[in-house]
């Protein structure tokens, strides 16, 4: 379980610097975001928020997640299914993604060899790497589990 306190403090600081209020609505959305599964789509976040607070719409979630992204506590991800997804940014943590094109499963991985190679490749091209996103698309090898996940998504 990750520690969420630094993310909460970072958001409060960002709101203060931009003269924005730490409203209850923002807190509820933050709680839903942090307690959720990772890579949450707007619709999924909306459902989680509506469980805690009524009257919050799609546009509010979208705007708030944009604010969280600007504050540096959320990363925006698109994995080719037309959905915008969000995941929390943890200090010093980095991972890449494997995405199943059939069932939508998202698996995180970290590989030091790939990380190092990217640095070497960038440097060899006269380039300094500041960030990267590595998404690998394919299909689950466990076809039964994949089919079951696909049915559940319908
Ligand atoms: Zn991720
Ligand atoms: Zn799959």
């Amino acid at each position: 379980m990750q520690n969420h306190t630094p993310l909460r403090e970072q958001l409060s600081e960002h709101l203060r610097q931009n003269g924005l209020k730490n409203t209850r609505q923002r807190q509820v959305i933050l709680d839903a975001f942090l307690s959720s599964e990772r890579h949450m789509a707007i619709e999924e976040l909306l459902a989680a928020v509506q469980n805690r607070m009524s009257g919050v719409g799609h546009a509010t979630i979208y705007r708030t997640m944009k604010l969280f992204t600007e504050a540096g506590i959320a990363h925006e991800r698109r994995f080719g299914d037309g959905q915008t997804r969000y995941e929390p940014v943890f200090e010093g943590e980095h991972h890449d993604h494997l995405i199943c094109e059939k069932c939508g499963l998202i698996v995180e991985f970290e590989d030091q060899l790939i990380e190092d190679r990217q640095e070497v490749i960038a440097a060899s091209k006269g380039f300094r790497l500041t960030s990267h996103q590595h998404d690998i698309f394919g299909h689950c090898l466990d076809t039964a589990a994949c089919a079951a996940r696909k049915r559940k998504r319908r």
Side-chain angles (χ1 to χ4, degrees), residues 132-148:
H132 76 271
Q133 195 174 324
H134 195 70
D135 298 335
I136 300 176
F137 294 89
H139 301 150
C140 298
L141 285 175
D142 185 344
T143 51
C146 181

Side-chain angles (χ1 to χ4, degrees), residues 98-127:
L98 293 160
I99 303 109
C100 175
E101 293 170 321
K102 286 184 178 164
C103 71
L105 181 72
I106 300 165
V107 178
E108 300 185 340
F109 72 93
E110 198 184 349
D111 186 294
Q112 201 50 50
L113 208 59
I114 290 178
E115 300 300 312
D116 293 346
R117 282 298 299 158
Q118 289 178 145
E119 297 278 352
V120 171
I121 292 164
S124 78
K125 306 283 182 197
F127 195 83

